[in-house]
Amino acid sequence: TLSQQYDNIIVETPVDGVGQVTLNRPKALNALSTPLFKELNDALQKLDEDPSIRAILIAGSERAFAAGADIKEMKDLTFSQAYSKNFIQLWSTTITNLNTPTIAAVSGYALGGGCELAMMADILYCTANATFGQPEVKLGVIPGAGGSQRLTRAIGKSKSMEIILTGKTFSGEEAEKWGLAARAFPNFEELMKGATDTASVIAGYPMLAMKAAKEVVNQSQELSLSEGIKYERRVFHALFGSKDQKVGMEAFANKVKDVKWTH
Ligand code: CO8
């Protein structure tokens, strides 16, 4: 299976249509090393290209989603190396360009790059006592994989500024209250069940509609309102070219309950 190719992640299909990637570097609290990220990107790309996979779950362990970029790996990096390799840019390219909807399931630590990775997913679920934070200032740097931009868009400037400038952590309960997380669950088991259930619901709907919906919602983060609305309308028009638009609307008109999607 796909999983056997990897040392730092586990890949499985918990339910039909759902691909799950679990970060599995427990001794380093899933610190995001280059080998881990290469494997993660490879697995995500393969799942995205697999027609039987219609939703992707990204999880860690109960103790840690990911405690950040691997500090030991990057501590000796020079400016010249970081700049010329465009350090980190490659890491986030794959995940933010997937067509398949993604859910991050966060338990325990989601710090620095771990928090940033979780925020790259389409939906963020967590446990109430998960620990989020952008503690980079404590290391003499700043967030480097979108933290300053995605956190600010999600929770507003003042809160984001406070979190990034103080490096203080916040809980999963707060993440939910502030709108960073879609839902906070009471414990790890409920989190994984909730995330798998939602992934399964997504996987049960017509794939093209799901990919299109994901695409237009993500465009809302990039475009002005009028451009975004026009973009949405064009993609909406395009779905009239899909089989499942006919299947879904015929089923409604004929009062058919059990719709058989073609995907
Ligand atoms: N990098 C490397 N190793 C780590 C990291 C990390 N980020 N976090 C934990 N580890 C290792 C520890 O060194 C330790 O290893 P060892 O047993 O060999 O000493 C092991 O994991 C267990 O950790 P602790 O003993 O520290 O466990 P505690 O329960 O005492 O503490 C903490 C847990 C609070 C999470 C603590 O480990 C910690 O503060 N970790 C660092 C958190 C941090 O600063 N993260 C931000 C890193 S900077 C960053 O992410 C920049 C963003 C770049 C973008 C990334 C691309 C997506």
Side-chain angles (χ1 to χ4, degrees):
T1 65
L2 202 50
S3 224
Q4 287 161 345
Q5 305 166 22
Y6 304 122
D7 299 324
N8 300 288
I9 58 171
I10 297 166
V11 183
E12 58 204 324
T13 305
V15 292
D16 186 43
V18 177
Q20 178 173 333
V21 182
T22 306
L23 309 181
N24 186 31
R25 221 193 140 202
K27 286 191 183 130
L29 303 180
N30 291 335
L32 304 163
S33 61
T34 302
L36 185 151
F37 239 97
K38 280 190 171 150
E39 292 184 0
L40 177 63
N41 283 342
D42 187 68
L44 290 173
Q45 193 65 51
K46 286 187 170 131
L47 290 171
D48 198 43
E49 286 163 10
D50 182 341
S52 73
I53 298 297
R54 296 181 298 277
I56 297 174
L57 206 53
I58 303 169
S61 68
E62 180 168 3
R63 181 158 177 237
F65 178 73
D70 191 315
I71 300 166
K72 293 164 192 169
E73 185 189 308
M74 69 181 157
K75 72 179 185 31
D76 296 322
L77 202 65
T78 63
F79 165 75
S80 166
Q81 290 165 330
Y83 184 82
S84 55
K85 285 195 297 188
N86 206 356
F87 178 55
I88 291 168
Q89 194 263 339
L90 262 183
W91 292 10
S92 53
T93 305
T94 303
I95 172 162
T96 55
N97 284 303
L98 300 173
N99 296 311
T100 311
T102 53
I103 302 176
V106 174
S107 172
Y109 296 110
L111 300 174
C115 185
E116 291 171 312
L117 174 63
M119 293 192 293
M120 287 175 205
D122 296 319
I123 299 174
L124 201 169
Y125 279 176
C126 61
T127 57
N129 66 2
T131 305
F132 291 89
Q134 297 288 163
E136 287 89 344
V137 289
K138 296 181 184 174
L139 300 166
V141 291
I142 62 168
S148 64
Q149 307 303 302
R150 290 198 177 90
L151 189 64
T152 306
R153 276 171 170 73
I155 70 173
K157 188 186 105 167
S158 191
K159 269 197 171 62
S160 173
M161 196 68 95
E162 183 193 32
I163 285 159
I164 291 169
L165 295 186
T166 63
K168 73 171 192 178
T169 60
F170 57 100
S171 68
E173 198 179 346
E174 287 171 312
E176 183 195 38
K177 198 170 75 189
W178 300 341
L180 179 69
R183 277 158 73 183
F185 294 83
N187 57 50
F188 183 60
E189 286 68 33
E190 304 244 357
L191 166 70
M192 293 315 297
K193 188 183 178 308
T196 310
D197 286 351
T198 297
S200 181
V201 167
I202 293 169
Y205 283 122
M207 183 183 67
L208 285 181
M210 291 293 105
K211 289 183 173 177
K214 163 186 169 137
E215 184 183 349
V216 298
V217 174
N218 280 334
Q219 283 297 324
S220 75
Q221 306 296 294
E222 308 281 351
L223 301 177
S224 71
L225 183 60
S226 62
E227 287 170 319
I229 286 170
K230 188 167 177 186
Y231 192 99
E232 178 197 72
R233 197 183 317 126
R234 292 302 180 215
V235 177
F236 171 73
H237 292 160
L239 286 171
F240 285 84
S242 74
K243 274 190 195 159
D244 281 328
Q245 175 269 326
K246 297 287 175 287
V247 170
M249 292 195 182
E250 282 292 340
F252 178 83
N254 296 321
K255 300 192 190 298
V256 175
K257 285 276 177 295
D258 190 19
V259 188
K260 293 271 180 289
W261 301 111
T262 65
H263 290 298

